[in-house]
Amino acid sequence: MKDCLEYFKRASVRRIILGVVIFVSLVLVLSALVVTLHQASCSRDGALIDSVEYIKEQTAEGQSILSNAWPYYGYYGNLNARHTWTENISRLVDEHDPDFFIHATVIGVPYNRVVLDENDILEKEKIFEDGCGITVTVYRVHSAKSKAI
């Protein structure tokens, strides 16, 4: 009788452990699924894609832009996209004569947006935000070259 009771105690402990393992596994799988669906939604309907579409509408093929996320705009918009390699905005504008300066958070190379907000030749034109924590700010460039035309 004592052996029988010992057997049932061990079996109960095994069932509890198995139940906990199954429960934890289910929670992990469902969490991974939710994260994957969220990331897919962000890449499809996010601020970056919306800003790329906006820039494509505002520019002609081959026009120049500056951005800390330049590959997206160059590839999708077929634009002459340049990297923001210095915080000297005047130098970048003089060298590349861009029509737009685009700043993205989270995506792209980190860049000081305060420098952009405080610059006189840049005019904040549009802001795109999404639920994925990405903000893209589009600035129109008013350079001396564009004013001379």
Side-chain angles (χ1 to χ4, degrees), residues 124-139:
K124 194 181 293 185
E125 183 166 303
K126 194 153 178 90
I127 298 173
F128 298 90
E129 296 178 314
D130 62 25
C132 305
I134 298 171
T135 301
V136 179
T137 308
V138 176
Y139 300 86

Side-chain angles (χ1 to χ4, degrees), residues 52-97:
V52 167
E53 291 301 319
Y54 177 77
I55 289 299
K56 282 171 51 177
E57 293 170 4
Q58 299 295 316
T59 57
E61 187 175 303
Q63 277 186 279
S64 182
I65 61 134
L66 289 166
S67 177
N68 65 326
W70 73 101
Y72 297 96
Y73 303 96
Y75 178 77
Y76 291 111
N78 202 17
L79 299 171
N80 185 7
R82 302 295 179 155
H83 173 46
T84 53
W85 49 270
T86 179
E87 287 189 2
N88 185 340
I89 305 298
S90 297
R91 183 174 177 192
L92 288 169
V93 169
D94 288 344
E95 287 186 24
H96 303 294
D97 192 28

Side-chain angles (χ1 to χ4, degrees), residues 5 9 15 18 39 66 79 82 87 96 99 117 131 137:
L5 243 127
K9 283 182 184 177
R15 285 185 193 139
L18 181 63
Q39 288 174 341
L66 289 166
L79 299 171
R82 302 295 179 155
E87 287 189 2
H96 303 294
D99 298 293
D117 290 336
T137 308

Side-chain angles (χ1 to χ4, degrees), residues 1 3-15:
M1 181 79 164
D3 289 337
C4 190
L5 243 127
E6 193 68 30
Y7 171 78
F8 284 117
K9 283 182 184 177
R10 283 190 210 143
S12 294
V13 169
R14 287 182 191 147
R15 285 185 193 139

Side-chain angles (χ1 to χ4, degrees), residues 12 14 20 22-24 27 30 41 44 48 55-56 68 71-72 74 88 97 100 104 110 117 119 133 143:
S12 294
R14 287 182 191 147
V20 168
I22 290 172
F23 177 75
V24 168
V27 167
L30 290 175
S41 172
R44 201 174 42 246
L48 181 66
I55 289 299
K56 282 171 51 177
N68 65 326
Y72 297 96
N88 185 340
D97 192 28
F100 292 95
D117 290 336
N119 197 289
S143 69

